[in-house]
Amino acid sequence: GKGGEEVSVSSTAFDVAFYTPHQTSLTKNYPNPFNPSTTIDYQLSEAGMVSIIVYDLKGSEIKILVNEIQQADYHNVVWNGLNEIGQGVASGRYILKMTAPGYAETITMTLLK
């Protein structure tokens, strides 16, 4: 301590809790409509292979955003309106499909330029 005074220190134990989601889910992207990018939040209740892919309204694959094994937790991914070869896509509506263990969901997103 100051001037060589003795200083007493006490500590208290505490628990840190880590919460994993109770269910797997996909939320709406934000912002929507978007320009130039949008964020997609999702949560996994169990670890496993996750796929998140953007399609056009004709069903053609535009961009693979996620294709990997992920842990149970809260996640997000950003789509910047580019296709697989880095080209900007046209304004319009797009479908995002997420698959995970025991789960499949789609949402629509609107890109405005």
Side-chain angles (χ1 to χ4, degrees):
K2 185 177 180 181
E5 296 176 17
E6 185 175 322
V7 175
S8 65
V9 177
S10 64
S11 63
T12 305
F14 60 93
D15 293 327
V16 176
F18 296 97
Y19 296 100
T20 56
H22 294 291
Q23 65 182 25
T24 297
S25 67
L26 170 67
T27 60
K28 288 294 229 175
N29 61 303
Y30 61 91
N32 191 31
F34 68 96
N35 181 12
S37 64
T38 189
T39 300
I40 300 105
D41 291 334
Y42 59 100
Q43 57 189 36
L44 304 173
S45 61
E46 63 181 90
M49 185 67 183
V50 177
S51 171
I52 299 178
I53 302 174
V54 178
Y55 297 90
D56 65 19
L57 292 180
K58 296 177 184 175
S60 298
E61 187 177 287
I62 301 298
K63 178 73 174 176
I64 298 171
L65 299 176
V66 176
N67 190 30
E68 65 186 17
I69 295 172
Q70 293 188 331
Q71 296 301 312
D73 205 348
Y74 298 91
H75 301 270
N76 67 45
V77 64
V78 174
W79 182 40
N80 58 4
L82 301 179
N83 63 18
E84 281 296 325
I85 59 174
Q87 298 171 322
V89 299
S91 293
R93 295 184 69 188
Y94 292 87
I95 298 168
L96 180 129
K97 181 176 182 182
M98 174 181 159
T99 57
Y103 182 84
E105 183 70 54
T106 61
I107 60 171
T108 58
M109 306 180 294
T110 303
L111 171 61
L112 294 178
K113 290 189 176 184

